[in-house]
Amino acid sequence: VLAAWLHGLLTPASRAARRQGHLSQAVALWSRAHRQRRAWADHEARCQAQVRRAVAACESRRTVAVLGSGLWRDVPVDELAGHFARVVLVDVVHLASIRRRLARSGWRHVALIERDLSGFTEIVENGAAHDPLAFLHDLDGLDLVISANLLSQIVVHARDRLGIDITPDPRLRALVEAHLHGLARLRAPALLLSDVSYELRDRAGQVLEREDLMQGAALPRPLAAWDWPVAPFGEIARDVESIHRVAAFEGKTLAPAAPKS
Ligand SMILES: C[S@@+](CC[C@H](N)C(=O)[O-])C[C@H]1O[C@@H](n2cnc3c(N)ncnc32)[C@H](O)[C@@H]1O
């Protein structure tokens, strides 16, 4: 608890990121990832394998951008730093431990960008059409974009901000679609890693709750899919576990279907 508190204190974060709970959530994620490192190992290895496959398919390796780079667990940032001339890590919060790791690495070609990637203000509050990933078009030599288990977090955070109990909700769906279409519109190849749904189950395996984290948005066929025990028994309740379904998608397949005539 003390380590988590200190971590929050030592992390530079914008006032908005603090007020909106992004900093406390990042610290909570850091604590849980450490507690559940064994339960999460398979998920992280599968994510890393997808990233390696995407990197191997790149024709040139100038700039790679990672969206939701977080704790550098499901994306092997050290390997990206070895392969690419420039690595751009984008997250609403970069924790102090990550900043220290970067400083110690001596990598001058790895940059941290602090940015809210949800488009919440424009899309939900203003009801406007908006591409929260449009800034990527301005990155020179972009050869790969990896959205790293960020999309469901955008949904969960917006759901909390709006105080929504019942989902799917069209405002949340609009946020999901903005991210999917933002990735599809990029000229560079993109890889989307995201949990798409979850189930709360009791010890008898009975499903107590199920949610479509993609809010009804249409998804293409994934490259691969697997289960991620986000909260094994004892993490959120003694006799309840939370199992998330994760999938990997190729960016170009995320384009909206053409309207039928
Ligand atoms: C499940 S974690 C991803 C883990 C990370 N890929 C890793 O390898 O450790 C989700 C990440 O998304 C970030 N995030 C959540 N909402 C965001 C937003 N609106 N804009 C940018 N990043 C956000 C969180 O700070 C967190 O680092």
Side-chain angles (χ1 to χ4, degrees), residues 22 26 29 68-75 90-93 115-118 148-150 153-154 228:
H22 286 297
L29 178 75
S69 50
L71 306 169
W72 301 10
R73 295 183 71 97
D74 35 52
V75 173
V90 192
D91 202 294
V92 73
V93 174
R115 190 180 178 102
D116 185 335
L117 293 164
S118 67
N149 291 306
L150 153 75
Q153 291 308 298
I154 288 178
W228 174 20

Side-chain angles (χ1 to χ4, degrees), residues 118-140:
S118 67
F120 186 92
T121 305
E122 298 83 354
I123 298 166
V124 174
E125 291 183 342
N126 302 342
H130 173 70
D131 178 0
L133 305 186
F135 73 101
L136 292 171
H137 297 275
D138 298 331
L139 283 185
D140 283 340

